[in-house]
Amino acid sequence: MPPLSQVIDSSQERRRAAAAREVHSERLAAQLGLFLGAAFTVCFVTGLISHLHQHPLGWFPLPSSPAGLYRVTQGLHVTTGLAAIPLLLAKLYVVSPQLPRWPPVDDVVDAMARLALLPLVGGSILLLFTGAANIASWYPWDFFFPVGHWWAAWMVMGALMVHVSLQFPAVKRLFTRSDQRHSGDVSDDGRGLSRRGLLGFVVGGAGILTLLTAGQTFPPLRAFTALAPRRPDIGPQGFPVNRTAEAAGTEDLATGDGYALVVVHRDGTEQTLDLAAIRALEQVSRELPIACVEGWSASVKWRGVPLSAVLAAGGVGTEEMEGRTVKVGSAQQRGLYGSSLVEPDLAGRDDCLLALEANGEVLHPDHGAPVRLIAPNRPGVLQTKWVTRLEVL
Ligand code: HEM
Ligand SMILES: Nc1nc2c(c(=O)[nH]1)N[C@H]1C(S)=C(S)[C@@H](COP(=O)(O)O)O[C@H]1N2
Ligand SMILES: [Mo]
């Protein structure tokens, strides 16, 4: 018969060991839920910003400065979204014993709670999967990515509000003193992942994913971009290309021979500028990022002519420009990115450029030669390449 103190010690040890295995606990589910909720909120807000850039609301204009703001918000979107993948997997593992249950619901509130899990879990998996596949340029689906991703985001955020309000007591218990702690459904069969193993998976997984992708937008981590689809310093003239001139069918344009920029006035009349006329205008140098919606970004030194000065050379005076949006059109016939809109405030800025040079060289064909749009705080998709048409709307 061992001494009493030893019996107590070993039972304490057992309890400690059991607590360490408390993987399927309410507490861990709530902790992971908090982090997931924070990550999804960051993704939703930054995603909305991205959406507003591409579908502007007249009464809610986005600022044109700081010039690198979109680079930060979209970099955050993709980085946070990827880090949420191990979080979601861990959360599903922790709550998995509670999913199959008989009877399936206890009461009306419980029925709502369990019903909300369908769009919540299904939508979250859809969001993270489509997001990750998109930045890897893999499209194993038929719908247009931003549309599917957009509606999944609203569905998930709605279900998340229902879920959080119903699970609020569990979150509250997280912040009460530990001796009053409610440990919830502990399945202590000693099998499966330990609590420490699970936390290691989450922190390690999120950390590794962040380390291997954040360099696509955060220069100090550039050397580690193994998982990111683009390294921001690789490509002609030192930065990446999404669509080449060959893919866009615009190789012939780059020579500049026969190039013509058509300026369309509000009354429909047209005026044409050749390349020499544009080159003869006063040029300015500006450092502005290309910040792709897919999360990579690169800072580039551009040289070119402010859009407003080119329009002026095409006969569009300040009065005609007043409060007007400009449609910037490309020679590219294929694909979705043949034109973009420049809002009135942006169109008047001297760092909203039609660029002729990048990083000290004449623009490379893949970067939009002979003339491409580059403007501050704007998603890459709106930085139209191979510009041949400016239309005052
Ligand atoms: C692996 C995780 C994720 C990745 C890699 C990712 C990636 C992206 C990308 C590349 C876009 C730009 C689409 C475009 O304009 O072409 C985008 C937009 C967006 N994302 Fe995500 N995302 C992720 C997770 C999430 C999550 C968790 C949410 C919300 C809870 C979310 C909400 C949105 C919204 C609302 C947009 C705007 C869609 C639009 O412009 O119509 N994303 N995301
Ligand atoms: N005409 C045209 N312009 C375009 C595109 C395109 O496919 N066609 N791609 C856009 C996208 S998605 C990005 S990220 C930037 C990339 O510019 P870069 O190739 O010079 O880096 O160009 C934008 N301008
Ligand atoms: Mo892009």
PDB file of all heavy atoms in Angstrom, residues 86 198-210:
ATOM      1  N   PRO A  86      -5.361  25.809 -41.219  1.00  0.00           N
ATOM      2  CA  PRO A  86      -5.126  24.888 -40.094  1.00  0.00           C
ATOM      3  C   PRO A  86      -6.050  25.169 -38.904  1.00  0.00           C
ATOM      4  O   PRO A  86      -6.422  24.225 -38.192  1.00  0.00           O
ATOM      5  CB  PRO A  86      -3.652  25.106 -39.723  1.00  0.00           C
ATOM      6  CG  PRO A  86      -3.223  26.323 -40.442  1.00  0.00           C
ATOM      7  CD  PRO A  86      -4.137  26.534 -41.595  1.00  0.00           C
ATOM      8  N   LEU A 198      -2.327  19.225 -30.940  1.00  0.00           N
ATOM      9  CA  LEU A 198      -3.258  19.988 -31.760  1.00  0.00           C
ATOM     10  C   LEU A 198      -2.837  21.454 -31.857  1.00  0.00           C
ATOM     11  O   LEU A 198      -2.822  22.049 -32.937  1.00  0.00           O
ATOM     12  CB  LEU A 198      -4.666  19.892 -31.167  1.00  0.00           C
ATOM     13  CG  LEU A 198      -5.686  20.548 -32.068  1.00  0.00           C
ATOM     14  CD1 LEU A 198      -6.349  19.511 -32.944  1.00  0.00           C
ATOM     15  CD2 LEU A 198      -6.705  21.317 -31.292  1.00  0.00           C
ATOM     16  N   LEU A 199      -2.461  22.035 -30.702  1.00  0.00           N
ATOM     17  CA  LEU A 199      -2.028  23.435 -30.723  1.00  0.00           C
ATOM     18  C   LEU A 199      -0.766  23.584 -31.567  1.00  0.00           C
ATOM     19  O   LEU A 199      -0.606  24.554 -32.298  1.00  0.00           O
ATOM     20  CB  LEU A 199      -1.796  23.940 -29.293  1.00  0.00           C
ATOM     21  CG  LEU A 199      -3.081  24.209 -28.528  1.00  0.00           C
ATOM     22  CD1 LEU A 199      -2.786  24.637 -27.098  1.00  0.00           C
ATOM     23  CD2 LEU A 199      -3.913  25.292 -29.214  1.00  0.00           C
ATOM     24  N   GLY A 200       0.095  22.571 -31.487  1.00  0.00           N
ATOM     25  CA  GLY A 200       1.305  22.586 -32.304  1.00  0.00           C
ATOM     26  C   GLY A 200       0.961  22.589 -33.785  1.00  0.00           C
ATOM     27  O   GLY A 200       1.534  23.346 -34.575  1.00  0.00           O
ATOM     28  N   PHE A 201      -0.045  21.782 -34.154  1.00  0.00           N
ATOM     29  CA  PHE A 201      -0.488  21.713 -35.545  1.00  0.00           C
ATOM     30  C   PHE A 201      -1.001  23.078 -36.018  1.00  0.00           C
ATOM     31  O   PHE A 201      -0.667  23.562 -37.096  1.00  0.00           O
ATOM     32  CB  PHE A 201      -1.597  20.658 -35.674  1.00  0.00           C
ATOM     33  CG  PHE A 201      -2.326  20.671 -36.985  1.00  0.00           C
ATOM     34  CD1 PHE A 201      -1.763  20.108 -38.119  1.00  0.00           C
ATOM     35  CD2 PHE A 201      -3.588  21.261 -37.075  1.00  0.00           C
ATOM     36  CE1 PHE A 201      -2.429  20.126 -39.334  1.00  0.00           C
ATOM     37  CE2 PHE A 201      -4.266  21.283 -38.289  1.00  0.00           C
ATOM     38  CZ  PHE A 201      -3.680  20.714 -39.421  1.00  0.00           C
ATOM     39  N   VAL A 202      -1.820  23.713 -35.146  1.00  0.00           N
ATOM     40  CA  VAL A 202      -2.424  24.991 -35.525  1.00  0.00           C
ATOM     41  C   VAL A 202      -1.365  26.090 -35.640  1.00  0.00           C
ATOM     42  O   VAL A 202      -1.250  26.763 -36.672  1.00  0.00           O
ATOM     43  CB  VAL A 202      -3.484  25.420 -34.487  1.00  0.00           C
ATOM     44  CG1 VAL A 202      -3.955  26.834 -34.762  1.00  0.00           C
ATOM     45  CG2 VAL A 202      -4.644  24.458 -34.514  1.00  0.00           C
ATOM     46  N   VAL A 203      -0.567  26.242 -34.566  1.00  0.00           N
ATOM     47  CA  VAL A 203       0.407  27.333 -34.551  1.00  0.00           C
ATOM     48  C   VAL A 203       1.486  27.077 -35.601  1.00  0.00           C
ATOM     49  O   VAL A 203       1.844  27.948 -36.390  1.00  0.00           O
ATOM     50  CB  VAL A 203       1.012  27.498 -33.135  1.00  0.00           C
ATOM     51  CG1 VAL A 203       2.101  28.552 -33.132  1.00  0.00           C
ATOM     52  CG2 VAL A 203      -0.084  27.846 -32.136  1.00  0.00           C
ATOM     53  N   GLY A 204       1.960  25.829 -35.636  1.00  0.00           N
ATOM     54  CA  GLY A 204       2.986  25.482 -36.611  1.00  0.00           C
ATOM     55  C   GLY A 204       2.470  25.612 -38.037  1.00  0.00           C
ATOM     56  O   GLY A 204       3.117  26.203 -38.889  1.00  0.00           O
ATOM     57  N   GLY A 205       1.272  25.071 -38.279  1.00  0.00           N
ATOM     58  CA  GLY A 205       0.698  25.123 -39.625  1.00  0.00           C
ATOM     59  C   GLY A 205       0.481  26.552 -40.079  1.00  0.00           C
ATOM     60  O   GLY A 205       0.883  26.933 -41.185  1.00  0.00           O
ATOM     61  N   ALA A 206      -0.150  27.356 -39.227  1.00  0.00           N
ATOM     62  CA  ALA A 206      -0.419  28.746 -39.594  1.00  0.00           C
ATOM     63  C   ALA A 206       0.899  29.494 -39.778  1.00  0.00           C
ATOM     64  O   ALA A 206       1.060  30.274 -40.723  1.00  0.00           O
ATOM     65  CB  ALA A 206      -1.280  29.419 -38.522  1.00  0.00           C
ATOM     66  N   GLY A 207       1.866  29.220 -38.884  1.00  0.00           N
ATOM     67  CA  GLY A 207       3.163  29.895 -38.972  1.00  0.00           C
ATOM     68  C   GLY A 207       3.884  29.552 -40.263  1.00  0.00           C
ATOM     69  O   GLY A 207       4.385  30.432 -40.962  1.00  0.00           O
ATOM     70  N   ILE A 208       3.905  28.267 -40.608  1.00  0.00           N
ATOM     71  CA  ILE A 208       4.618  27.849 -41.819  1.00  0.00           C
ATOM     72  C   ILE A 208       3.939  28.422 -43.063  1.00  0.00           C
ATOM     73  O   ILE A 208       4.586  28.962 -43.957  1.00  0.00           O
ATOM     74  CB  ILE A 208       4.708  26.301 -41.896  1.00  0.00           C
ATOM     75  CG1 ILE A 208       5.718  25.812 -40.854  1.00  0.00           C
ATOM     76  CG2 ILE A 208       5.123  25.839 -43.279  1.00  0.00           C
ATOM     77  CD1 ILE A 208       5.760  24.311 -40.677  1.00  0.00           C
ATOM     78  N   LEU A 209       2.582  28.343 -43.092  1.00  0.00           N
ATOM     79  CA  LEU A 209       1.863  28.897 -44.251  1.00  0.00           C
ATOM     80  C   LEU A 209       2.152  30.384 -44.403  1.00  0.00           C
ATOM     81  O   LEU A 209       2.376  30.879 -45.510  1.00  0.00           O
ATOM     82  CB  LEU A 209       0.354  28.685 -44.088  1.00  0.00           C
ATOM     83  CG  LEU A 209      -0.167  27.303 -44.454  1.00  0.00           C
ATOM     84  CD1 LEU A 209      -1.642  27.177 -44.115  1.00  0.00           C
ATOM     85  CD2 LEU A 209       0.041  27.042 -45.942  1.00  0.00           C
ATOM     86  N   THR A 210       2.154  31.111 -43.277  1.00  0.00           N
ATOM     87  CA  THR A 210       2.408  32.552 -43.337  1.00  0.00           C
ATOM     88  C   THR A 210       3.830  32.806 -43.819  1.00  0.00           C
ATOM     89  O   THR A 210       4.062  33.613 -44.722  1.00  0.00           O
ATOM     90  CB  THR A 210       2.195  33.185 -41.947  1.00  0.00           C
ATOM     91  OG1 THR A 210       0.880  32.865 -41.512  1.00  0.00           O
ATOM     92  CG2 THR A 210       2.357  34.691 -41.995  1.00  0.00           C
TER      93      THR A 210
END
